[in-house]
Amino acid sequence: MQSFDLAIIGGGPGGYVAAERAGAAGLATVLFEKKSLGGVCLNEGCIPTKTLLYSAKVYNYAKQAGHYGVHNTEGAQLDYAEVVARKDKVVRKLVGGVKAAMKAGKVTVVNAEARIEGKEEGLVVISAAGEKYSARNLLICTGSEAAVPPFPGLKEAGDVIVTNREILSLKEQPKELVVIGGGVIGMEFAAFYNTIGTKVTVVEMLPKILGPLDNEISETLQKIYAKRGIEFCLNCKVTGIEGNKVVYENPSGETCRVAGDRILVSVGRRSNVKGFGLENLGVEVGRGIPADDRMRTNVPGVYVAGDAVSGTPMLAHVASREGEVAVNNILGKEDRMRYEAVPSVVYTNPEVAGVGLTEEQAAASGRDYAVARLPMTYAGRYVAENEGSDPSLCKVIYGKEYHEVLGVHMLGNPSSEMIHSACIAIETEMTIEQLKEIIFPHPTVSEILKETAFTVK
């Protein structure tokens, strides 16, 4: 039986980043992954969807090139098969990069399903592929899977029903797509298919898309995509599936139906915490695995990171940081997880990004706050690169008394590449006055953050 300092179950963003950090620090590490290294994010989520969305963005740029004095592009065509093939190529390349990082860190990778057998002489014993392994510490990074409610008629619909996994493998572009769920995953797929010409309908039980997002920004994004042809059925409860039709109840209580070649079920995700032997260690389990701010579970020497953690944001960058915190504490370094400045991004076109409190959250908390806002068009670079653009916004939530930055929310490209500045401002408890003193490069769209700060007197 091989023995290690650290065993990690799950090779997603939490697991492989933790393994890389542990290996670099000299910990003998074994990483178990039953599918492909990179987990859902790299193989079925973040990377493949963003690759598809970028192809759609390039296609849209080609169609809109006349706005920039570039002509004879009216015949631009998108080859769906080539777009999917490029997505697969990108994924293969990045999975190869993760493999190389594991090799560089001298991490033992076991491509097999792992099961926790229990403890022997204080060491966690794990079996995989007919072999047994022991470790002084265990890090659980088993991730999550798409939650699929038991809608009546769902099983009978067969291949018409897809989740984020199956839709990435479609060989042909659907002519009509119904998306059940207007969250981040649902909206990103809706945006992609809408851009390349698929008729898209989004059915959402809440009164808005992108539930936790700042209301002003989510409403504006919805209007942009409604104008582009997406039909939104909000406040609508799905009651069943009839073949290729989604049956739902509208706000008036009427039963309605909408048909699609494919029906994407995108109503959230649930933690993978069963079926691999956690009960053999006595690890506390609910909808996820509870952990403290050092990522420790209730069992000494057992840590958790990523989507398996109870009640934390299911985001790849959160998983990676949680994995780092766990490894640092195993190494005896003082490190604690903080969630006050976690950025979130929606990779639609235009992009949405936010960090910290939304205006609604600030109001609900009872804080005495104020809001500063500017359209992105106050940044010269944005105007230069967004001819005839959609509505845009930079919104800063700050405390009235001390002017501390509480939240920043953006609508407009490239919000995803700018939000980290706001993360730093919140993490360091920066004030509006301090933000004004930061030198931003000119011309950049990021200057909008400083310009918005200067609206505060």
Side-chain angles (χ1 to χ4, degrees):
M1 182 164 56
Q2 299 180 63
S3 185
F4 295 85
D5 296 316
L6 173 63
I8 303 173
I9 301 179
Y16 77 73
V17 169
E20 187 175 0
R21 302 291 186 264
L27 292 178
T29 303
V30 58
L31 174 65
F32 300 94
E33 173 52 57
K34 64 182 180 181
K35 294 181 180 178
S36 296
L37 286 175
V40 169
C41 177
L42 180 46
N43 294 281
E44 303 168 6
C46 319
I47 297 301
T49 55
K50 279 54 184 180
T51 307
L52 295 178
L53 284 162
Y54 190 74
S55 289
K57 187 178 287 187
V58 171
Y59 175 55
N60 188 61
Y61 284 154
K63 293 196 300 180
Q64 302 296 324
H67 291 311
Y68 303 89
V70 180
H71 300 287
N72 297 325
T73 61
E74 290 78 7
Q77 295 180 337
L78 182 140
D79 188 311
Y80 187 80
E82 287 187 19
V83 169
V84 173
R86 178 176 180 270
K87 176 263 297 180
D88 293 338
K89 181 185 72 173
V90 169
V91 170
R92 285 195 302 271
K93 181 176 181 178
L94 293 176
V95 169
V98 175
K99 290 179 180 178
M102 296 302 96
K103 185 176 181 180
K106 298 181 180 179
V107 175
T108 299
V109 177
V110 179
N111 290 119
E113 186 169 0
R115 178 169 179 80
I116 301 166
E117 301 294 337
K119 279 193 173 185
E120 292 181 12
E121 298 179 356
L123 300 176
V124 176
V125 178
I126 299 170
S127 62
E131 300 289 335
K132 286 193 175 183
Y133 305 79
S134 65
R136 293 190 297 110
N137 299 281
L138 171 64
L139 176 57
I140 302 162
C141 301
T142 47
S144 64
E145 62 183 358
V148 181
F151 296 127
L154 185 78
K155 292 183 178 179
E156 291 77 8
D159 293 342
V160 171
I161 304 296
V162 292
T163 67
N164 66 290
R165 176 186 298 174
E166 293 84 20
I167 199 170
L168 289 169
S169 301
L170 295 182
K171 301 302 181 185
E172 295 182 358
Q173 175 185 343
K175 293 181 179 179
E176 296 184 343
L177 174 68
V178 181
V179 180
I180 301 177
V184 174
I185 296 173
M187 274 306 302
E188 289 185 349
F189 278 114
F192 168 70
Y193 281 105
N194 166 259
T195 302
I196 67 174
T198 295
K199 182 180 183 300
V200 178
T201 303
V202 176
V203 182
E204 169 58 55
M205 67 181 297
L206 296 177
K208 56 172 287 195
I209 60 171
L210 301 167
L213 200 71
D214 180 270
N215 284 357
E216 183 177 5
I217 286 180
S218 68
E219 289 172 5
T220 305
L221 185 70
Q222 180 189 327
K223 289 177 182 177
I224 290 171
Y225 274 98
K227 187 176 180 181
R228 294 178 187 177
I230 293 181
E231 181 179 352
F232 292 95
C233 305
L234 304 182
N235 264 328
C236 292
K237 181 182 178 181
V238 173
T239 57
I241 308 293
E242 294 178 353
N244 70 331
K245 296 184 179 69
V246 174
V247 184
Y248 64 91
E249 187 178 280
N250 71 14
S252 301
E254 300 169 324
T255 297
C256 305
R257 290 169 176 81
V258 58
D261 305 337
R262 300 283 179 171
I263 298 170
L264 172 63
V265 180
S266 180
V267 295
R269 301 186 66 80
R270 59 187 175 204
S271 300
N272 294 323
V273 293
K274 296 180 179 179
F276 56 94
L278 282 177
E279 65 277 5
N280 295 328
L281 292 178
V283 174
E284 182 183 349
V285 174
R287 302 182 94 178
I289 301 173
D292 65 11
D293 58 1
R294 298 184 185 186
M295 307 319 301
R296 300 176 298 191
T297 69
N298 64 305
V299 177
V302 179
Y303 298 77
V304 61
D307 289 3
V309 182
S310 178
T312 61
M314 287 187 172
L315 298 167
H317 41 281
V318 172
S320 296
R321 176 63 186 139
E322 288 173 338
E324 290 174 341
V325 169
V327 169
N328 284 338
N329 279 280
I330 290 169
L331 291 167
K333 297 180 180 179
E334 179 65 28
D335 196 3
R336 296 176 183 271
M337 193 65 198
R338 302 177 300 279
Y339 297 98
E340 292 79 15
V342 173
S344 60
V345 179
V346 187
Y347 293 86
T348 46
N349 185 19
E351 293 178 349
V352 171
V355 62
L357 297 181
T358 64
E359 186 172 356
E360 294 73 35
Q361 289 170 335
S365 71
R367 290 174 183 263
D368 194 13
Y369 72 94
V371 179
R373 56 167 62 81
L374 276 180
M376 293 281 192
T377 49
Y378 273 74
R381 175 85 176 266
Y382 183 86
V383 175
E385 297 181 353
N386 292 273
E387 181 69 28
S389 68
D390 296 302
S392 60
L393 182 64
C394 178
K395 184 173 182 178
V396 178
I397 318 296
Y398 63 95
K400 275 189 176 180
E401 183 176 0
Y402 301 109
H403 282 194
E404 72 277 18
V405 179
L406 300 173
V408 176
H409 306 277
M410 300 177 176
L411 171 64
N413 297 329
S415 295
S416 63
E417 298 292 348
M418 301 190 293
I419 198 63
H420 65 280
S421 297
C423 296
I424 294 170
I426 293 173
E427 183 73 29
T428 60
E429 300 181 335
M430 189 177 287
T431 65
I432 292 290
E433 286 69 31
Q434 290 170 325
L435 188 57
K436 291 177 181 179
E437 295 174 0
I438 302 297
I439 299 174
F440 284 74
H442 177 79
T444 61
V445 184
S446 66
E447 290 176 285
I448 192 63
L449 185 56
K450 182 170 182 173
E451 292 301 321
T452 305
F454 266 98
T455 66
V456 179
K457 306 302 182 184

